[in-house]
Amino acid sequence: MTAVSSTTAEHVDHGYRALSLRLGRVSLLVGIRSIVVCGVLAAATVALGVATLGMGAFELSPAQVIEALIYLDADPQARLVVFQWRLPRALFAVLCGLALALSGAIFQSLTRNPLGSPDIIGFSTGSYTGAIVVMLWIGSTRYLDIAVGSLVGGAVTAAVVYVLAIKRGSVGGFRLIIMGIGVAALLGSLNSMLMLAVDIDSAMLAAVWAAGSLNGLGHEQLWPMAAMLALLLVAVAGLAPGIRQLELGDDVARSLGTRADGVRATAVVVGVALTALVTAAAGPIAFVALAAPQIARRLVGGTGLVLVPSALVGALVLLASDVVAQRLGLPVGVVTVSVGGTYLVWLLTAEYRRKK
């Protein structure tokens, strides 16, 4: 999708079939293929969500699930199981996948590298460090406290990586990745030291949480997260035109009136906040941020920033991973690591062959 200000966008040959949607003085050019892909992804996510809500010891048909979600006078037992017990977990999977995918799309666009996701750069590790400091050293397990710790940890890590990556007044994408990998290694050692310095019960609690799980999450954690995510989505929508212009290079972006350094720094903060939001709720969940934007680009046939398709792919991938995790009795983070590790090997091999 590309935002344009031209009033004759439909008369321009863009090399692909597209629709021009106008809102006031600004129009939005949307590719037909992107619309179809997003529709299919959204429908698949809804279908899988309904199926997920019917699975478990108390089996429900799709019709019973939909009835329990829509009608207040539906079967009380079915409504209790669907609305109170299973719906928060399914929504958490969708929202966390959406947030991680958007964060990955932002950082991959800023670094212009498919490896430039918060998992690889180390921002997820920084958020994890902030969260376990709150859990193990401050002694709080409240969602909002952990969210603040996670956000501070991620922001400090991003600031350190950003400063280390500056060379001759600018930040290169490859240098940002290398510095991020180094800082992540240091933080990994720090996290191990923090775990070893507390009693075994606290360390076990943090270790279980660190595997990345959606178990035990309910409405009390869901709605604060949804509210904060809504604010971040507004920020992402506002930053998207500037990030797309940065893909053309800083000089071109500045010539178009974009404050390159300001947009990049703000995008880093928003991307870190998206990752921190998920880490605070479910612990670190790896590889969704790495894989979702790349899968989305291949589906829509685009090469630049594809926010909406990436978000929908992330939501579907994490929801599907959570279904598998529930069936196997594993944390969802273990499933995403298993699938993502295979994807990372394929990605590195493809990049090596492309440059050979």
Side-chain angles (χ1 to χ4, degrees):
M1 301 180 184
T2 304
V4 298
S5 57
S6 170
T7 58
T8 59
E10 68 271 23
H11 303 302
V12 178
D13 182 8
H14 298 280
Y16 59 91
R17 299 179 61 191
L19 290 178
S20 179
L21 307 174
R22 285 193 175 85
L23 180 63
R25 298 176 60 185
V26 177
S27 65
L28 187 68
L29 190 66
V30 186
I32 299 294
R33 180 172 172 175
S34 180
I35 294 174
V36 173
V37 168
C38 289
V40 171
L41 289 170
T45 303
V46 171
L48 182 59
V50 171
T52 302
L53 294 176
M55 297 177 182
F58 189 77
E59 293 279 352
L60 294 168
S61 67
Q64 289 175 303
V65 170
I66 294 172
E67 185 179 352
L69 288 173
I70 296 177
Y71 299 110
L72 296 176
D73 58 348
D75 178 14
Q77 191 174 12
R79 188 167 172 78
L80 174 68
V81 170
V82 171
F83 199 80
Q84 293 294 333
W85 295 354
R86 296 176 183 171
L87 184 60
R89 178 167 184 155
L91 290 179
F92 256 115
V94 170
L95 296 182
C96 289
L98 186 150
L100 289 172
L102 286 177
S103 179
I106 290 172
F107 284 117
Q108 289 180 11
S109 177
L110 291 177
T111 59
R112 303 173 202 168
N113 193 310
L115 294 177
S117 85
D119 315 54
I120 306 297
I121 302 178
F123 299 161
S124 297
T125 310
S127 296
Y128 174 53
T129 302
I132 62 173
V133 166
V134 172
M135 293 175 65
L136 299 181
W137 292 92
I138 299 179
S140 174
T141 56
R142 290 179 65 241
Y143 172 72
L144 290 178
D145 293 342
I146 296 175
V148 171
S150 183
L151 180 59
V152 171
V156 171
T157 303
V160 172
V161 172
Y162 197 86
V163 169
L164 291 175
I166 293 176
K167 185 178 182 181
R168 296 174 183 173
S170 63
V171 178
F174 183 72
R175 187 175 174 84
L176 188 72
I177 294 173
I178 296 300
M179 291 300 169
I181 292 174
V183 171
L186 289 173
L187 287 173
S189 301
L190 175 63
N191 293 341
S192 299
M193 187 185 74
L194 292 173
M195 299 275 278
L196 292 172
V198 298
D199 62 88
I200 189 168
D201 291 335
S202 299
M204 287 295 293
L205 175 66
V208 170
W209 176 79
S213 175
L214 300 176
N215 290 336
L217 295 174
H219 288 283
E220 61 274 17
Q221 294 95 2
L222 175 64
W223 301 118
M225 181 204 174
M228 287 187 279
L229 179 59
L231 295 176
L232 291 173
L233 292 181
V234 173
V236 171
L239 286 168
I243 296 175
R244 288 193 181 96
Q245 290 176 355
L246 285 180
E247 290 180 338
L248 303 174
D250 285 10
D251 292 338
V252 175
R254 290 191 181 99
S255 70
L256 295 173
T258 299
R259 299 174 61 184
D261 294 333
V263 170
R264 184 181 291 106
T266 308
V268 168
V269 172
V270 172
V272 169
L274 288 167
T275 302
L277 204 60
V278 177
T279 304
I285 298 176
F287 288 111
V288 176
L290 176 70
Q294 294 301 313
I295 295 172
R297 284 196 185 101
R298 283 162 176 76
L299 290 176
V300 301
T303 56
L305 185 68
V306 285
L307 289 175
V308 176
S310 298
L312 291 172
V313 169
L316 181 60
V317 167
L318 192 55
L319 183 60
S321 298
D322 190 49
V323 172
V324 175
Q326 290 184 60
R327 291 296 179 185
L328 298 178
L330 295 171
V332 68
V334 176
V335 177
T336 59
V337 166
S338 302
V339 176
T342 305
Y343 170 78
L344 182 58
V345 171
W346 173 83
L347 183 63
L348 292 173
T349 304
E351 283 292 303
Y352 173 75
R353 288 176 177 172
R354 186 177 63 83
K355 294 180 179 178
K356 191 175 180 180

